[in-house]
């Protein structure tokens, strides 16, 4: 019997990795939408929030072809993480806390047309944490040079040693990985609360160009909100927060993440052309 070539050995090793991970990966069906999920804890499945429909029933198809209904436990649009509950006995996958090195090989283990699938690629970006366009805190920036079908979104990104380091999702122009640290943090909150706490000022804001920069005009005020309690009124123009000039309404809203709840901020405004300052205790956004 001849020794395997290096390429054959690599091929065999990758096939073994996929075989070990695939049983913990499921296909997710939701109102004409198909995606992938994986078992995070017994009876709990993590999937990509963007791939999950906003209405209708949710079902899953297991690796052996059997089906089960699922209920949405919670979802977080800002980090693209949704948590489902289903009555299954599938073994959860063990997520690794390490961030893969730039140039490392990666396999996305997912589903395609309700059957296990795999896609091989390379880690094209491996960097520090970042904030999504919707304001979610992502603990590491990981991008993959891999081709991914829409129904493979939500699959597991696995390194060559078989360690699953995150969930693969489709970004605007690239495949991104939501890393383990983000999944563990967000999914745990969804499990216990069904949602992620977000900061709330109770203001409707409109961008405004000023002679010396950018402002945010207060268009409406929640009378029961934190800003109203601090004394901010309709018509005020916010020009700075904590002595930093406002760079835009979106930038202000992105600061209202989970960690902002309960924080006291100093808000500088112009009221009728005159300066004024208010100390606002950031509240928690009410459930809609």
């Amino acid at each position: 019997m001849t020794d395997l070539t290096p390429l054959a050995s690599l091929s065999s090793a990758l096939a073994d990795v996929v075989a070990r991970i695939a049983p913990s990966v499921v296909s997710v069906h939701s109102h004409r939408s198909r995606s992938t999920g994986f078992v995070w804890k017994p009876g709990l499945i993590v999937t990509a929030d963007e791939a999950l429909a906003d209405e209708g029933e949710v079902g899953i198809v297991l690796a052996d072809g059997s089906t089960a209904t699922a209920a949405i436990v919670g979802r977080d649009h800002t980090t693209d993480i949704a948590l489902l509950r289903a009555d299954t006995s599938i073994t959860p996958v063990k997520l690794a806390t390490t961030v893969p090195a730039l140039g490392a090989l990666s396999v996305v283990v997912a589903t395609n047309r309700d059957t296990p699938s795999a896609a091989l690629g390379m880690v094209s970006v491996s960097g520090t944490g970042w904030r999504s366009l919707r304001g979610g805190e992502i603990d590491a920036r990981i991008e993959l040079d891999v081709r991914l079908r829409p129904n493979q979104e939500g699959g597991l990104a696995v390194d060559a040693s078989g360690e699953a380091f995150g969930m693969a999702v489709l970004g605007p122009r690239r495949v991104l990985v939501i890393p383990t640290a983000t999944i563990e943090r967000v999914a745990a909150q969804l499990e216990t609360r069904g949602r992620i706490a977000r900061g709330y000022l109770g203001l409707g804001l409109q961008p405004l160009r000023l002679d010396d920069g950018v402002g945010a005009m207060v268009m409406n005020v929640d009378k029961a909100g934190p800003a109203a309690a601090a004394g901010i009124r309709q018509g005020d123009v916010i020009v700075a927060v904590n002595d930093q000039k406002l760079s835009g309404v979106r930038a202000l809203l992105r600061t209202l993440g989970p960690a902002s709840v309960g924080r006291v901020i100093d808000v500088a405004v112009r009221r009728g052309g005159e300066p004024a300052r208010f100390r606002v205790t950031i509240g928690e956004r009410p459930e809609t």
Side-chain angles (χ1 to χ4, degrees):
M1 182 175 179
T2 59
D3 293 335
L4 293 175
T5 66
L7 186 58
S9 297
L10 175 61
S11 177
S12 179
L14 290 175
D16 288 342
V17 165
V18 173
R20 292 199 307 269
I21 296 294
S24 298
V25 175
V26 301
S27 179
V28 179
H29 294 204
S30 61
H31 192 62
R32 300 180 183 176
S33 177
R34 300 290 183 270
S35 61
T36 298
F38 62 90
V39 181
W40 172 61
K41 286 184 177 181
L44 293 174
I45 295 166
V46 169
T47 188
D49 176 72
E50 275 196 348
L52 194 64
D54 293 329
E55 58 182 12
E57 296 181 349
V58 180
I60 60 171
V61 180
L62 284 57
D64 62 4
S66 60
T67 62
T69 58
I72 298 176
V73 176
R75 53 198 305 177
D76 178 33
H77 302 297
T78 69
T79 57
D80 204 6
I81 295 172
L83 187 65
L84 309 176
R85 188 183 302 278
D87 184 14
T88 72
S89 57
I90 303 175
T91 302
V93 69
K94 183 178 180 181
L95 295 174
T97 57
T98 55
V99 176
L102 181 67
L105 288 179
S106 173
V107 179
V108 176
V109 183
T111 59
N112 183 21
R113 297 181 180 179
D114 297 338
T115 59
S117 69
L120 177 63
M122 178 183 291
V123 177
S124 57
V125 174
S126 181
T128 57
W130 58 289
R131 189 181 293 273
S132 73
L133 292 176
R134 294 179 175 177
E137 296 181 8
I138 313 298
D139 293 80
R141 177 173 282 278
I142 306 171
E143 297 179 11
L144 301 181
D145 184 10
V146 63
R147 183 178 180 182
L148 212 62
R149 299 173 184 268
N151 55 11
Q152 293 174 303
E153 186 171 20
L156 280 167
V158 184
D159 64 20
S161 65
E163 298 287 336
F165 57 86
M167 176 177 67
V169 299
L170 296 174
R173 292 177 297 275
R174 59 190 65 85
V175 174
L176 305 173
V177 175
I178 307 301
T180 292
T182 306
I183 293 171
E184 297 286 6
R185 171 169 50 83
V186 173
Q189 293 184 60
L190 294 178
E191 181 185 10
T192 56
R193 301 190 57 186
R195 68 191 188 97
I196 303 298
R198 297 292 172 194
Y200 182 65
L201 296 175
L203 297 174
L205 301 174
Q206 177 70 35
L208 184 68
R209 179 68 63 181
L210 304 173
D211 292 338
D212 56 351
V214 177
M217 176 171 281
V218 178
M219 305 301 293
N220 53 71
V221 181
D222 178 359
K223 294 181 180 180
I232 294 178
R233 303 175 188 169
Q234 184 177 0
D236 288 345
V237 178
I238 299 175
V239 295
V241 175
N242 291 336
D243 294 323
Q244 292 189 352
K245 283 189 175 183
L246 201 69
S247 59
V249 171
R250 284 189 177 183
L252 174 58
L253 297 179
R254 281 198 296 268
T255 65
L256 301 177
S260 70
V261 178
R263 184 183 301 163
V264 179
I265 58 174
D266 183 75
V267 180
V269 309
R270 292 179 187 172
R271 176 175 292 173
E274 297 297 323
R277 304 184 80 93
F278 301 92
R279 290 181 65 78
V280 181
T281 301
I282 299 174
E284 183 176 337
R285 180 175 295 278
E287 291 190 62
T288 56

